[in-house]
Amino acid sequence: MLRIGLLTSGGDCQALNATMRGIVKTILNKAKEPVEIWGIEDGYQGLIYGRWRKMEWRDFSGVLTQGGTILGTSRTPFKYLDQPEADGVDKVPAMKKNYKKLKLDCLFMLGGNGSTKTANRLSKEGLNVIALPKTIDNDTWGTDITFGFTSAIDVATRCIDDIHTTASSHGRVFVVEIMGHKVGWIPLYAGVAGGADVILIPEIPYDMDNVVEAIERRERDGGRFAIVAVAEGAITKEEAAMPKKAYKKKVAARVQPSVAYDIAEEIARRTDREVRVAVPGHTQRGGAPDAQDRIFATQCGVEAALACLRGDFGVMIAKVDDKMCHVPLASVAGKLKYVDPEGDLVREAKALGISFGDE
Ligand code: F6P
């Protein structure tokens, strides 16, 4: 008997169910022995508190196109892993105990950066863990792409597309705030795909003078409107030079709901333009996965199942230079993959006349 556990951790995204379907179909197809499937509910919380359900192949039928996660998810911050829960439960020993209780041969963990750090810890504690790279942010180290990313680009791009009509009708400047946590992958890709005039990402700190100049230049060239795609983590050159603590304090003291509103206010103050903000927010994580995500998620699921059957544990499934592979969890945990400010897409966007506010 082969006993496997499935767990989705951290923020949800579009292709989680497609990935689990890939794991389960492959395991059932290729295993030489009967398989027992355990769905752990609500991320690591389910493993800590013993919330799980036995699942059948039928549970994974018809979920390829279904967004969210059929298991539920939650955030269990890595930095508090060794701090007991409010009710006194010690998280790591509880997870080890429950893994053993279920007699698992392998735990498949679908998660982003923080979740991968926890997976690495559990692997070091002796559990057989295989991680799969989930996040719309595409910031997971060790893989060129994560599942959820291309679907999120599509949603953000559609938002920029749809804003164009109102921006054009009213001759307005629109600031569109795009997710991505500390990195700028989604705003960069959606900004280019949606034809933004300015793209502001954390990896390229901006100067407001340059942003205003780009908007005025577009007006001088006859553009009736302008679109500024802003990463939720965008920072000014001044903020980038600040000590981390001082910057965090500044963000905590922000009066506006988020960075897009600060930028919009500043543009309105410095120009005579009408400025509005649009925030697609969590819609970027919602809805059905696009075709590319379905394919990559399926590939991840298949490779993870095959790795399990070979006994390759303590790894994360990845795509590097267009090849599926796996990388040691220890080499991935705790690292972020940032946009290269000198990379091709940034260089090409600049050549096209898109401003990043840095020059
Ligand atoms: O990591 C995915 C993500 O959507 C980030 O882009 C964003 O910063 C964060 O999660 C939002 O988290 P929450 O769902 O907890 O509001």
Side-chain angles (χ1 to χ4, degrees):
M1 174 74 73
L2 179 69
R3 293 186 180 83
I4 63 164
L6 300 167
L7 175 159
T8 55
S9 172
D12 74 338
C13 74
Q14 291 90 339
L16 285 160
N17 295 323
T19 309
M20 290 191 278
R21 170 184 172 272
I23 297 171
V24 169
K25 282 187 91 124
T26 308
I27 284 270
L28 293 177
N29 196 29
K30 292 283 186 186
K32 303 258 185 290
E33 55 193 320
V35 181
E36 209 170 82
I37 306 159
W38 291 95
I40 318 257
E41 295 173 351
D42 304 328
Y44 287 116
Q45 289 298 311
L47 193 57
I48 295 167
Y49 286 102
R51 291 200 307 269
W52 48 63
R53 59 183 188 264
K54 198 159 177 227
M55 300 181 85
E56 307 291 335
W57 72 267
R58 273 181 219 86
D59 296 312
F60 299 91
S61 178
V63 300
L64 178 63
T65 58
Q66 196 180 320
T69 161
I70 54 174
L71 293 180
T73 188
S74 63
R75 294 191 190 277
T76 305
F78 179 77
K79 61 178 171 184
Y80 303 126
L81 204 58
D82 289 312
Q83 267 179 34
E85 294 281 66
D87 56 8
V89 170
D90 212 348
K91 295 188 265 293
V92 175
M95 288 194 272
K96 284 170 72 176
K97 195 175 115 223
N98 281 326
Y99 177 95
K100 288 199 177 108
K101 192 171 172 184
L102 277 176
K103 297 197 185 84
L104 293 180
D105 296 298
C106 177
L107 175 67
F108 294 96
M109 194 291 299
L110 288 67
N113 282 302
S115 309
T116 303
K117 279 198 263 181
T118 301
N120 183 43
R121 171 70 186 278
L122 293 180
S123 166
K124 281 188 182 156
E125 297 276 344
L127 311 194
N128 293 336
V129 185
I130 296 179
L132 295 98
K134 167 242 63 162
T135 170
I136 63 166
D137 301 337
N138 194 36
D139 58 354
T140 303
W141 183 267
T143 180
D144 293 347
I145 193 158
T146 56
F147 51 86
F149 176 49
T150 58
S151 304
I153 296 171
D154 272 4
V155 179
T157 301
R158 262 199 317 277
C159 175
I160 299 175
D161 288 351
D162 292 346
I163 282 302
H164 266 83
T165 51
T166 302
S168 165
S169 305
H170 289 261
R172 285 175 177 164
V173 176
F174 260 94
V175 180
V176 182
E177 184 175 291
I178 300 175
M179 273 187 172
H181 201 214
K182 292 179 182 163
V183 303
W185 291 102
I186 315 173
L188 171 62
Y189 277 67
V192 171
D197 305 293
V198 179
I199 299 175
L200 304 178
I201 60 174
E203 294 86 343
I204 308 179
Y206 66 92
D207 185 324
M208 206 57 207
D209 290 345
N210 298 330
V211 175
V212 169
E213 165 55 23
I215 291 167
E216 288 175 339
R217 189 171 57 237
R218 180 164 157 84
E219 196 176 3
R220 281 197 303 276
D221 291 347
R224 225 179 110 65
F225 65 93
I227 309 266
V228 183
V230 177
E232 60 178 344
I235 49 169
T236 63
K237 289 186 179 189
E238 217 180 22
E239 288 165 343
M242 281 172 139
K244 226 175 166 183
K245 249 189 173 172
Y247 173 63
K248 275 192 172 171
K249 209 170 155 193
K250 188 179 173 197
V251 171
R254 177 179 277 144
V255 181
Q256 304 267 23
S258 63
V259 66
Y261 292 87
D262 282 346
I263 291 171
E265 190 180 64
E266 197 61 12
I267 296 171
R269 196 177 66 78
R270 294 192 190 199
T271 66
D272 59 356
R273 305 293 301 271
E274 212 176 25
V275 189
R276 293 287 188 273
V277 173
V279 183
H282 291 79
T283 65
Q284 292 163 98
R285 294 206 321 233
D290 71 357
Q292 212 176 313
D293 259 339
R294 288 180 213 177
I295 295 164
F296 180 54
T298 302
Q299 285 186 288
C300 284
V302 172
E303 295 297 341
L306 295 177
C308 167
L309 294 174
R310 282 195 307 266
D312 286 336
F313 303 116
V315 296
M316 183 188 80
I317 305 302
K319 191 173 212 172
V320 178
D321 295 337
D322 224 24
K323 284 256 174 305
M324 293 304 293
C325 58
H326 59 250
V327 289
L329 268 173
S331 72
V332 173
K335 294 186 201 159
L336 276 189
K337 183 183 70 193
Y338 291 97
V339 169
D340 176 4
E342 314 291 332
D344 284 351
L345 193 55
V346 173
R347 186 176 50 75
E348 288 148 3
K350 283 187 173 178
L352 201 64
I354 297 174
S355 167
F356 285 76
D358 57 329
E359 50 193 16

